[in-house]
Amino acid sequence: MTKTEDMMHKPSLRNRLKLATALGAFAIAPLAIGLSGAHAASDAGASGPIDPARMSETMRVLASDSFEGRAPGTPGEAVTVKWLIDQYQKLGLEPGGENGGWTQNVPMIRTRPDPKAIATIKTRGQAALPLHQLTDIVMSTLQPIERLQLSNVPLVFVGYGVTAPERRWNDFKQVDLHGKIAVFLVNDPDFDAGPEEPVAGRFGGKTMTYYGRWTYKFEEAARRGAAGALIIHDTPGASYPWSTVVAPQGEEYDILHDDKDLKSVPMIGWIEGNAAKTLFARAGLDLNRLRRQARSPDFHPVNIHDTTLSLDMPVKVDHLQSQNVIGKITGTDYPDETVMFGAHWDAFGKSTDAAGKTVIRRGAIDDGSGIAAVLEIARAFKNGPKPKRTVSFASWTGEERGLLGSSWYVAHPLAPLDKTAANLTMDVLQMAGPAHNAFIIGAGQDTLQDDFAAAALKQGRTTQPEAMPERGAFYRADHLPFARAGVPVLAVMDMAGPFDLLQGGTAAGSKWLTAYMACYHQACDAWSPDWDVRGAAQDVDVVRQVGYNAAFSHDWPTWKGGSEFRAIREKSNDVRSAH
């Protein structure tokens, strides 16, 4: 699952040791949570044709040393792509990539800023305040520049940085951000609001909207011509600790954009919460008071008085050619219509931990589990009758770097998007065993979610909305570019809440989730023979059934009335009604 924060990166050694005190070995050892490994091959009937043992073996291979953490543009990518093509061929799939091949090229840039860089804050009447990279601030760029230089650039606090006419909200008013650094709060304007505040519920309460995502805030800064954008980190609003922001050490990836595309601001980044308070206080401003003011539609941007930021930061720029891997089964009746299953093959590669040791962030669960799911679903389709619609099986690159592979595909589709019936994405599946329940990410968006609930019910399971909607999971995985293009989507992400496990109930489900989150995007997201993969296989079989119904039908899944994506899809209704 993506940086992409975002859900993004990795806790410090100190935080991991704190977690170890509470969780025993779970927080610092490879994830070994669940029942005995012997269970991986038993009870396979509970998940139909989806084999937990094969899923476990796929995750073991993808998380092994030779794959080096599967970072785009590294030797680990070459090993991964070759292995995926081999698996697709063994399954008997047809090539679904470019020019009759298995892959789609995804041109990228990678930027790696100097980890020893220092930004200098100057406030009239105060001594210069140094902000150290990876301690007080994380500064990055998505532009191919080898030196990022800013000289005495003024800073403007823009609240949550939201422009949402449909919600009667505009944080920017008439402020001119050209030549300035915009400073944002993370999440939505109503995230911290009490029930008595007028903003309460206007942005979904604790359910994050796209306006709350850091990606939106950087995009908004670019639309307004800012010289830079900084987001103030707080753990509840971001849904991850400062150590998660620090872990990539400012490294960024991006796809190559057409000249007409929106370009990122030169400097993007995050500032640590206490460092931000100090910066504001030196200018005579109370950040906590400004947070409250920012929850009002009457908020106006605030110049951080007589305060500027300067920076001279070397950046290493690499131009990369990464690859999506795509196989397919051509439909018998409607070959130009597509049902797509997808997951991302990339993880975070090698990095240096707090002790200076090189570690591999293996991504066994994130998203080795999703790749295992795609392969199992492909096997099930190949073992059955040929579908009426074409079924595509995509392994995406660059999800952890900002949904890059899936975004490139949507910008350069290999099958018509207006005749893509569904995108079904699997990203992080639980390894704690069969459950009584399942979670729906972004509940209420489209009819595929209703189909998911119906299929889960046939397994004897209930469904419920994600338990932690403040994480904005619906806006953080490879289905999102498809949704933004109007394609109905289904996302299965088992970080959505504590499962009610058959053995141990919600207490055991919560224990697994807490321990997994301690290893999220870390080296300890490594394969374990002690996993109970049957619960993951249950979820995969539900997704398979939803996709099967769409692939053997000529009906079109649809967005619901309240979805922000419905109007996009409706623009191409005539294309589908003619078939």
Side-chain angles (χ1 to χ4, degrees):
M1 161 172 238
T2 180
K3 183 174 116 183
T4 129
E5 340 152 99
D6 326 350
M7 299 173 54
M8 280 185 306
H9 325 284
K10 120 179 173 182
S12 66
L13 181 62
R14 180 177 62 183
N15 288 340
R16 290 170 64 198
L17 291 174
K18 287 180 180 178
L19 286 162
T21 303
L23 299 172
F26 291 132
I28 56 175
L31 288 177
I33 307 156
L35 307 175
S36 166
H39 288 291
S42 68
D43 250 354
S47 54
I50 306 303
D51 187 335
R54 276 198 302 260
M55 287 187 62
S56 182
E57 175 62 11
T58 294
M59 289 182 278
R60 183 195 69 78
V61 171
L62 288 171
S64 62
D65 287 356
S66 60
F67 286 71
E68 297 187 357
R70 311 191 306 276
T74 68
E77 167 167 2
V79 175
T80 303
V81 169
K82 182 177 183 299
W83 185 85
L84 285 168
I85 292 172
D86 185 54
Q87 302 311 301
Y88 281 19
Q89 289 174 326
K90 287 178 178 177
L91 288 170
L93 300 179
E94 307 161 43
E98 295 171 320
N99 304 315
W102 293 99
T103 62
Q104 179 184 37
N105 289 329
V106 182
M108 296 182 182
I109 63 164
R110 175 176 62 199
T111 59
R112 289 177 282 179
D114 183 356
K116 297 180 181 179
I118 298 174
T120 302
I121 300 294
K122 295 180 181 178
T123 302
R124 182 178 299 177
Q126 303 274 356
L129 173 68
L131 295 179
H132 294 268
Q133 175 82 327
L134 309 183
T135 301
D136 309 304
I137 194 169
V138 174
M139 300 171 289
S140 308
T141 185
L142 289 172
Q143 296 189 3
I145 49 179
E146 295 185 349
R147 197 164 203 97
L148 179 57
Q149 295 177 307
L150 299 172
S151 179
N152 296 317
V153 179
L155 297 98
V156 181
F157 175 65
V158 295
Y160 289 91
V162 172
T163 301
E166 78 284 2
R167 299 173 194 253
R168 304 183 306 284
W169 200 273
N170 176 12
D171 280 328
F172 294 95
K173 305 306 189 283
Q174 301 303 317
V175 68
D176 181 4
L177 289 181
H178 287 84
K180 301 174 184 177
I181 294 172
V183 182
F184 296 82
L185 297 173
V186 70
N187 217 300
D188 290 313
D190 61 352
F191 177 75
D192 286 321
E196 75 286 354
E197 296 185 58
V199 70
R202 191 179 293 196
F203 289 83
K206 294 298 184 184
T207 300
M208 184 188 287
T209 70
Y210 189 64
Y211 297 116
R213 296 279 291 123
W214 56 272
T215 49
Y216 166 80
K217 298 175 193 296
F218 291 156
E219 290 165 2
E220 194 65 29
R223 280 188 283 270
R224 295 175 179 275
L230 284 174
I231 298 174
I232 300 169
H233 176 267
D234 72 81
T235 296
S239 83
Y240 42 81
W242 177 245
S243 55
T244 295
V245 179
V246 170
Q249 300 184 310
E251 180 182 73
E252 291 286 349
Y253 286 71
D254 200 8
I255 54 177
L256 294 184
H257 294 281
D258 296 333
D259 290 341
K260 61 182 175 58
D261 292 343
L262 179 71
K263 299 296 190 298
S264 172
V265 297
M267 190 269 283
I268 58 174
W270 294 71
I271 181 169
E272 192 270 335
N274 289 324
K277 288 180 181 178
T278 299
L279 186 157
F280 277 73
R282 286 161 52 92
L285 298 171
D286 182 337
L287 180 55
N288 288 334
R289 182 178 178 184
L290 289 173
R291 285 181 182 275
R292 292 190 295 271
Q293 293 176 2
R295 299 200 292 266
S296 167
D298 297 328
F299 169 82
H300 281 71
V302 176
N303 291 312
I304 302 179
H305 309 304
D306 299 322
T307 298
T308 62
L309 181 148
S310 296
L311 174 68
D312 186 2
M313 181 172 71
V315 180
K316 184 174 182 181
V317 179
D318 300 303
H319 292 266
L320 311 174
Q321 190 74 261
S322 192
Q323 293 178 307
N324 295 324
V325 183
I326 305 171
K328 66 180 181 180
I329 302 171
T330 300
T332 57
D333 295 18
Y334 316 112
D336 61 338
E337 299 174 7
T338 302
V339 174
M340 173 177 280
F341 296 92
H344 67 90
W345 61 253
D346 68 305
F348 282 99
K350 294 181 176 180
S351 62
T352 303
D353 67 11
K357 178 183 176 183
T358 298
V359 297
I360 300 175
R361 290 194 278 169
R362 302 173 184 273
I365 293 176
D366 185 11
D367 190 26
S369 64
I371 294 296
V374 168
L375 295 177
E376 280 299 288
I377 292 172
R379 186 187 310 275
F381 268 89
K382 281 299 295 181
N383 288 340
K386 291 197 71 171
K388 293 183 177 181
R389 283 174 164 145
T390 294
V391 181
S392 179
F393 305 93
S395 298
W396 306 116
T397 182
E399 189 271 356
E400 299 291 8
R401 314 297 177 161
L403 316 181
L404 300 184
S406 53
S407 294
W408 181 266
Y409 178 95
V410 167
H412 306 85
L414 301 180
L417 295 177
D418 53 15
K419 289 193 280 188
T420 297
N423 171 275
L424 303 102
T425 291
M426 293 156 287
D427 196 344
V428 178
L429 302 175
Q430 61 95 350
M431 301 293 142
H436 294 292
N437 64 330
F439 292 97
I440 296 177
I441 304 296
Q445 284 280 0
D446 62 31
T447 57
L448 291 170
Q449 296 171 338
D450 299 336
D451 296 340
F452 179 86
L457 187 61
K458 290 181 180 178
Q459 290 182 336
R461 303 167 71 196
T462 60
T463 50
Q464 62 196 86
E466 60 198 289
M468 292 167 280
E470 66 274 14
R471 291 179 173 173
F474 189 81
Y475 304 97
R476 295 167 67 151
D478 282 315
H479 62 283
L480 180 61
F482 290 89
R484 295 179 73 174
V487 177
V489 299
L490 175 69
V492 174
M493 304 161 74
D494 287 351
M495 303 164 73
F499 281 84
D500 180 7
L501 300 176
L502 268 60
Q503 295 194 22
T506 54
S510 181
K511 184 177 182 180
W512 181 86
L513 182 60
T514 301
Y516 173 69
M517 290 308 299
C519 281
Y520 182 61
H521 289 175
Q522 297 185 62
C524 55
D525 182 1
W527 177 81
S528 170
D530 294 327
W531 284 343
D532 185 347
V533 189
R534 293 176 298 160
Q538 278 185 308
D539 283 350
V540 175
D541 193 50
V542 174
V543 177
R544 178 193 65 82
Q545 291 179 58
V546 174
Y548 186 93
N549 292 341
F552 284 85
S553 168
H554 204 212
D555 294 334
W556 294 96
T558 58
W559 295 99
K560 295 190 175 180
S563 173
E564 62 265 49
F565 306 110
R566 181 175 180 174
I568 301 170
R569 187 65 160 180
E570 287 178 342
K571 293 177 182 178
S572 60
N573 279 350
D574 290 346
V575 174
R576 290 178 298 279
S577 64
H579 290 75

